[in-house]
Amino acid sequence: MAFLKLLARNRLALGGLIVMGVVVFVALITPILPLADPDATATADRFKPPFSEGAILGTDHLGRDLLSRLLWGTRLSLAVGFAAAFIAATLGAAIGIIAGFYGGRTDNVIMRGVDMLMAFPYILLALAIVAALGPGLLNALIAVAAVNVPFFARNIRGITVGIAHQEFVDAARLAGMRNSEIIIREVLPNVLPVIVIAMSTTIGWMILETAGLSFLGLGSQPPQADLGSMLGEARSALITNPHTSIVPGTMILIIVMAINLLGDGIRDALDPRLKSGALSRPMAATQVERRENAPAAQTGALLEIADLRTEFRVRSRVYKAVGGVDLHVEQGECLGIIGESGSGKSVTALSVMGLVASPPGVITGGAVHFDGTDLIGAPYRQLRSLRGRRVAYIFQDPLATLHPLYRVGDQLVEAIQTHESVSKSTARARAIDLLKSVRIPNAENRIDSFPHEMSGGMRQRVGIAMALANDPDVIIADEPTTALDVTVQAQILSVLSDLRRERGLAIIFITHDFGVVGQLCDRVAVMYAGRIVEEGPTGEVLRAPQHPYTSRLIDCVPTLGGGQRKLAAIPGLPPVVDRLPDGCAFADRCDKAQDVCRAADIALGETGEGRKTRCLFPETTQKGAA
Ligand code: ADP
Ligand code: MG
């Protein structure tokens, strides 16, 4: 259904679909229409003009009714075109899948054969095949299908090669599936859309090719009419009685146009990348639609996020990923943001520099005060000059953020030269210093390594070095240690902690691990369903969490040497952010929830020195004696 909706959004494709629908429908019901016999000659009635009595479209050189011949001919041409496309697609796809899946010698032998077929011009090859088989509609069909097989085989082979080496195919093999099963269950579903797409865009061609062969007298044989043979027979009367040519010619034009428009539409609607909007180029900065005025800065901190609201608009749904977040970080301070996966931490972080992809992301309210200016809705030039220079990011997976084909040194140099016009050698010397500052041993040699030559921890250090390249004031680290093991994580944390002290860096550290927060952060903000539910100095929050969610999160952290303790899991799941409840978003998972919790919005209230909690019944107990 989603497919039909997407298709309908494309006006031209919809037009093609409607025209094609009408043509196919008429072709289907032709046998039951009250038409004259298409092959009945009446020499007395030759070349009747259109709109004559008894022959709406006139008659041809043998006095046959053109309307009747047109409809029967369309029926035949469509049938042959579709059949040829179906045969070519099936054969070509089978050949392509086998070549691509088995690879090696199989691939070589098959593809060289295909190449040989492709070496001849299309129509010449088709002519040769019909010449060998003898004229006739069936042979024309075979010829047209045969010349199109290589096209499908090549296309599908390319796709299959890409799929055959992917992990899910390996997994299927490990699970003990036979090759034939893998092809049918794993590979075929992935190539099927491509086959349909290739088919829908080539049927038009095949109908034309069949018509071409019939035009030359090699396809349908008299008296049987198809669109090509009608054109061929009308050739000699082109000047004297043009309607005999115009009638079948117009029909060919209509059919091929409609099929091609429809084919384009099908291709767009079936391509999953187009569906997710990935091919529509994201804007340079997140789209901003602020309904109210920007809130003024309150704290005078280096970076202050005030009532930030970011949502995703996906078709008719609106996902409120960030629903009014207030945060601030001072120079030299480390602020932790903690919350379950999906609570809106990354979107908050990316909104700061307008890095949320638009579409579908839209910032609908709030302000980000950095060094005296509001960055929300700031001109792209200003954002770009700040990105990486004043505010830098470190992401979770350094293998995904480092370019696999460049040496890490070149990438560092690039990061430096983006914001500063320094010579390559100066930049390189700086890059070596940077690698040293994140404690990469033997930095002079390591600078020429490729990302894949480094371990995960090394790569993340390079990621940190890149963030440091332009001496930023704020580093936003989005789960930088989640992909690393515990010992490497400890090293990375200590590097970050030292850098903060040496350079007076402000760090916003996003994580889902309270252990990490405890090691690094001065203050911590707990996020749930796109809002801050508790904020305060790390030690105090850990010792005496006030929001039940915080308390439950802390209970989820395993401790060593504390004896056996039952690890608490939080029951239920976080709410989906396109249908947030009225009151407390955590109420459904909270054992203290009462009716008032669900009644109305709950404010983030002051609950002590530097502490804030969004809860009507805050916890009062202290955590463990430790
Ligand atoms: P996390 O706290 O794990 O970093 P995120 O900030 O990435 O969470 O995501 C917050 C919410 O925003 C999630 O519920 C997610 O489903 C939604 N979201 C993120 N990116 C998109 C997107 N491109 N389209 C729609 N929803 C999104
Ligand atoms: Mg995230």
Side-chain angles (χ1 to χ4, degrees):
M1 279 310 98
F3 164 74
L4 280 183
K5 262 192 213 146
L6 272 171
L7 192 65
R9 226 192 285 162
N10 184 338
R11 289 277 162 76
L12 287 174
L14 189 64
L17 179 69
I18 293 172
V19 171
M20 241 2 251
V22 171
V23 171
V24 169
F25 177 71
V26 171
L28 284 178
I29 61 166
T30 298
I32 57 168
L33 289 180
L35 291 169
D37 180 349
D39 301 333
T41 55
T43 355
D45 293 334
R46 327 173 49 210
F47 292 129
K48 267 200 192 170
F51 308 112
S52 317
E53 205 184 317
I56 294 181
L57 293 181
T59 55
D60 70 357
H61 63 294
L62 294 178
R64 294 174 296 196
D65 180 40
L66 267 181
L67 176 67
S68 170
R69 281 183 76 73
L70 178 75
L71 295 189
W72 282 97
T74 303
R75 189 175 150 87
L76 197 59
S77 284
L78 282 181
V80 173
F82 279 104
F86 185 75
I87 294 171
T90 313
L91 271 180
I95 292 174
I97 289 178
I98 289 172
F101 185 77
Y102 290 99
R105 192 174 305 160
T106 318
D107 185 26
N108 245 324
V109 171
I110 293 181
M111 290 327 280
R112 290 307 79 77
V114 166
D115 286 347
M116 252 156 30
L117 279 182
M118 282 187 114
F120 295 97
Y122 256 179
I123 203 75
L124 216 60
L125 186 62
L127 281 177
I129 293 174
V130 182
L133 296 177
L137 201 54
L138 189 65
N139 292 345
L141 191 160
I142 294 174
V144 170
V147 297
N148 281 290
V149 163
F151 166 77
F152 283 96
R154 272 235 157 268
N155 256 336
I156 302 301
R157 174 194 171 267
I159 309 280
T160 311
V161 167
I163 292 167
H165 296 287
Q166 283 192 3
E167 282 79 358
F168 64 88
V169 174
D170 291 341
R173 215 171 260 137
L174 287 177
M177 274 164 86
R178 268 177 282 130
N179 277 337
S180 53
E181 280 177 318
I182 297 181
I183 288 182
I184 290 172
R185 300 252 293 274
E186 312 288 330
V187 178
L188 197 58
N190 281 292
V191 295
L192 210 53
V194 185
I195 300 177
V196 173
I197 290 166
M199 213 162 105
S200 64
T201 45
T202 45
I203 287 185
W205 264 112
M206 300 202 201
I207 291 179
L208 271 185
E209 284 162 9
T210 323
L213 289 177
S214 291
F215 179 82
L216 296 175
L218 299 171
S220 79
Q221 297 300 309
Q224 195 181 37
D226 84 342
L227 295 174
S229 64
M230 285 177 77
L231 263 186
E233 287 165 2
R235 193 166 24 169
S236 49
L238 181 61
I239 306 294
T240 49
N241 288 289
H243 71 275
T244 48
S245 304
I246 290 174
V247 167
T250 310
M251 185 54 101
I252 292 180
L253 178 78
I254 290 176
I255 291 178
V256 175
M257 272 278 262
I259 288 187
N260 284 354
L261 290 176
L262 179 61
D264 281 353
I266 290 180
R267 183 193 56 210
D268 292 354
L270 274 186
D271 192 324
R273 285 173 306 169
L274 287 167
K275 220 180 288 177
S276 68
L279 286 191
S280 61
R281 217 162 75 90
M283 292 194 247
T286 310
Q287 187 186 342
V288 175
E289 272 179 30
R290 242 183 333 202
R291 286 164 209 137
E292 288 143 32
N293 286 338
Q298 306 262 322
T299 56
L302 176 64
L303 178 70
E304 180 184 333
I305 300 171
D307 199 27
L308 178 72
R309 289 162 195 276
T310 306
E311 60 189 37
F312 292 97
R313 296 183 186 158
V314 184
R315 276 178 233 129
S316 57
R317 290 264 176 88
V318 175
Y319 296 88
K320 296 197 168 135
V322 179
V325 162
D326 297 280
L327 287 174
H328 63 99
V329 62
E330 309 276 355
Q331 193 179 358
E333 188 187 33
C334 178
L335 169 73
I337 301 182
I338 190 165
E340 274 169 296
S341 178
S343 52
K345 310 181 295 292
S346 298
V347 177
T348 307
L350 292 172
S351 300
V352 170
M353 279 282 135
L355 289 170
V356 178
S358 292
V362 186
I363 295 179
T364 55
V368 174
H369 299 286
F370 175 71
D371 206 13
T373 48
D374 181 12
L375 299 182
I376 301 294
Y380 172 60
R381 287 173 57 96
Q382 188 184 352
L383 281 178
R384 215 194 60 149
S385 109
L386 290 174
R387 287 178 186 172
R389 188 171 63 89
R390 305 286 307 271
V391 179
Y393 284 86
I394 305 172
F395 293 104
Q396 176 174 341
D397 182 4
L399 197 55
T401 40
L402 292 175
H403 196 299
L405 299 183
Y406 289 112
R407 299 171 195 281
V408 295
D410 295 338
Q411 303 189 45
L412 281 165
V413 167
E414 187 185 40
I416 295 170
Q417 288 185 327
T418 304
H419 288 294
E420 236 182 297
S421 51
V422 293
S423 73
K424 188 138 191 205
S425 56
T426 322
R428 194 179 153 88
R430 286 251 295 274
I432 293 178
D433 285 342
L434 283 169
L435 290 182
K436 282 183 183 154
S437 70
V438 292
R439 299 199 218 135
I440 288 194
N442 200 1
E444 286 84 355
N445 293 332
R446 272 310 197 170
I447 191 168
D448 289 321
S449 300
F450 287 100
H452 64 263
E453 295 171 336
M454 304 183 124
S455 67
M458 274 307 179
R459 281 197 292 263
Q460 193 54 289
R461 284 170 207 235
V462 174
I464 299 177
M466 263 175 111
L468 290 174
N470 292 290
D471 230 338
D473 304 301
V474 182
I475 284 193
I476 299 178
D478 192 352
E479 313 208 20
T481 57
T482 304
L484 306 175
D485 59 63
V486 199
T487 42
V488 180
Q489 166 173 313
Q491 294 166 358
I492 298 282
L493 290 181
S494 101
V495 167
L496 276 175
S497 172
D498 290 351
L499 287 169
R500 167 161 75 103
R501 226 167 291 124
E502 288 162 20
R503 304 189 181 213
L505 272 176
I507 298 181
I508 296 181
F509 196 95
I510 296 171
T511 176
H512 53 243
D513 184 351
F514 252 116
V516 174
V517 170
Q519 282 175 57
L520 189 69
C521 301
D522 307 306
R523 273 188 310 123
V524 60
V526 183
M527 259 189 109
Y528 188 77
R531 306 178 87 179
I532 305 288
V533 295
E534 174 158 8
E535 192 189 325
T538 310
E540 286 178 41
V541 172
L542 282 176
R543 207 174 312 116
Q546 290 171 339
H547 198 284
Y549 178 59
T550 320
S551 175
R552 304 295 282 272
L553 266 187
I554 294 174
D555 287 342
C556 294
V557 180
T559 45
L560 276 180
Q564 290 249 334
R565 174 168 71 97
K566 205 165 151 269
L567 273 187
I570 308 181
L573 290 172
V576 186
V577 286
D578 69 332
R579 266 166 312 179
L580 284 177
D582 276 338
C584 175
F586 187 62
D588 286 341
R589 303 168 76 188
C590 181
D591 47 12
K592 296 164 80 180
Q594 309 199 6
D595 286 346
V596 279
C597 297
R598 295 192 175 87
D601 201 44
I602 297 164
L604 186 64
E606 296 262 351
T607 48
E609 183 66 33
R611 296 200 62 172
K612 289 177 190 160
T613 304
R614 196 187 291 278
C615 183
L616 297 176
F617 309 101
E619 307 259 6
T620 46
T621 50
Q622 306 264 316
K623 285 280 163 196

